[in-house]
Amino acid sequence: MAQGGMDGAFTALARRLRSPEWTDDLFGPPRIVGPEFDDLALQTGPADWSPAQAALFERLQRIKPRHKLAAVVSACNDALILPEWITHHLAIGVEKIFVYTNDNQDKTEELLRWFAQHAPVTLLPTRLGRPVDVQIKNFHHALFMLPELRLYEWVAFLDSDEFLLPAARFEHSLPKMLDAAPADAAALLFPWHWRLWRFELTRPEGLLATHYPHATPHYLAKSVTRLDQVASFHQKHFPEFATPKRLYDTAFRPIERGTNWHLDMKTGEGGWTEHFWGRSFAEFVVKKRRGEALGLTESHFLRDFETYFSWTSPPTAENYHPWPPALLETLQSRLAGFGKDPYFAALRAQIQTSFAAQGAALRQDAALYGLFEDMSRRFAPAG
């Protein structure tokens, strides 16, 4: 039933793309990514495609880019950090942001509706019919059911806690970095810069960029890719292509196939994926419950409480990596500009108040607060 629903959507879109007026659809209401697309989460490449999907893929490849750079992100209960995430990526040169979101209880969707009216943001609500990896579903939906994504030469596929940060030699501009990339680059892998966190029950108001100034290299990465021939994102961290393509690190060194996961094969010389994974314990609890709600028996979303305390390190002079001052100033200025809208300001205040209430509720939860206190003592740095 689901495959039939998908095939109908693939066929209808392929038919629509035969018309030069297909871009008129871009100005319609937000599209709901329904359960009929759940099977996209299970695909690993062309071997899993139906004839209708293969025909659509061929049609999509004919679309010629007109713009430089877009981003695709999957978000859930991320209202606290999305304004900073969106503003940061606009500041580094992303021209269009496509946000998939599902199962929110914290005004994330309401916030994104505001951004869709006031910034180059497209909202794509996702609905699940059964337990699947929603991020893979979303990324594959973007590959096949967002023809407007093909209007951009490069696309960054990210999580809502991952911030791309091009190096100073590119003036922290992603388009300038991409202009300098090798002509045969199909994707650039940006290594994770694992932002370190303190054991805090709840995070005070303020920016991630200023609250977490320490980071260490991590062996994983996220990609900025040309969509030509991209056949799968089932690995999520990097694309897989229908035909062999060249991948590079941010120093523009080629990465051999099969080495994508090894830190020693990548460098952050040209830029990082700044990964704010931990943050406050209250935010971790939201993340953990979100993963458990998916109903998957095996998933990277399923984390033990202990990981919050064991996956960070003490701040030192060696791992001090403050945010670039000029970029921080731009970020603060643009956020202040958005804040001049009374509705946006009131909505952010409601989100902050709601999050503060979550922290207060944690203090009243004897089991969770006791766990936080015990683990904080157990993993406290020596001395």
Side-chain angles (χ1 to χ4, degrees), residues 83-346:
E84 183 175 353
W85 192 97
I86 291 171
T87 306
H88 167 81
H89 285 91
L90 294 177
I92 65 169
V94 174
E95 298 166 86
K96 181 74 171 182
I97 297 173
F98 298 87
V99 187
Y100 288 84
T101 189
N102 63 285
D103 302 308
N104 298 293
Q105 292 88 39
D106 70 342
K107 296 186 179 293
T108 286
E109 201 161 318
E110 188 175 346
L111 180 72
L112 290 171
R113 283 197 295 270
W114 184 91
F115 270 108
Q117 294 177 359
H118 296 85
V121 172
T122 293
L123 168 62
L124 294 148
T126 298
R127 306 292 181 256
L128 296 175
R130 67 184 193 279
V132 296
D133 190 309
V134 66
Q135 190 178 47
I136 297 177
K137 172 186 174 177
N138 292 342
F139 283 4
H140 284 172
H141 183 274
L143 286 179
F144 287 96
M145 295 303 296
L146 284 188
E148 59 265 48
L149 197 62
R150 307 281 169 156
L151 299 175
Y152 296 85
E153 181 184 2
W154 293 88
V155 181
F157 288 82
L158 300 166
D159 293 344
S160 56
D161 56 5
E162 296 172 326
F163 289 59
L164 291 180
L165 186 57
R169 64 191 177 98
F170 302 114
E171 300 176 16
H172 306 300
S173 166
L174 191 48
K176 289 183 179 180
M177 181 181 182
L178 297 175
D179 284 341
D184 66 344
L188 300 180
L189 295 189
F190 285 69
W192 274 359
H193 216 200
W194 190 258
R195 287 281 157 175
L196 304 174
W197 60 93
R198 301 179 291 276
F199 302 156
E200 298 176 298
L201 189 68
T202 187
R203 180 165 57 90
E205 292 187 46
L207 299 176
L208 297 174
T210 56
H211 197 62
Y212 301 102
H214 296 81
T216 57
H218 192 286
Y219 70 95
L220 291 181
K222 277 297 178 74
S223 65
V224 181
T225 183
R226 288 188 170 108
L227 290 187
D228 179 40
Q229 293 283 324
V230 174
S232 173
F233 252 104
H234 79 278
Q235 295 281 5
K236 291 186 281 194
H237 290 265
F238 57 89
E240 297 190 8
F241 297 90
T243 59
K245 295 289 182 179
R246 279 279 199 173
L247 276 65
Y248 288 83
D249 65 15
T250 63
F252 302 150
R253 300 187 316 190
I255 297 175
E256 299 301 325
R257 188 173 181 83
T259 63
N260 308 64
W261 301 98
H262 298 291
L263 179 63
D264 59 357
M265 296 300 296
K266 296 185 292 296
T267 173
E269 178 184 319
W272 297 93
T273 300
E274 302 292 343
H275 192 18
F276 295 90
W277 186 87
R279 311 195 301 275
S280 69
F281 185 68
E283 290 167 282
F284 174 80
V285 170
V286 171
K287 183 197 297 278
K288 179 174 170 60
R289 288 172 175 168
R290 179 173 66 198
E292 293 169 346
L294 291 174
L296 300 172
T297 56
E298 293 185 12
S299 170
H300 73 285
F301 295 113
L302 302 176
R303 300 298 185 199
D304 294 330
F305 280 113
E306 185 173 313
T307 59
Y308 174 78
F309 301 91
S310 63
W311 285 12
T312 189
S313 301
T316 66
E318 289 72 24
N319 61 37
Y320 181 63
H321 298 282
W323 217 250
L327 191 56
L328 183 60
E329 183 178 347
T330 299
L331 176 61
Q332 292 169 326
S333 175
R334 292 194 178 197
L335 277 172
F338 288 139
K340 292 179 181 178
D341 183 295
Y343 180 85
F344 178 78

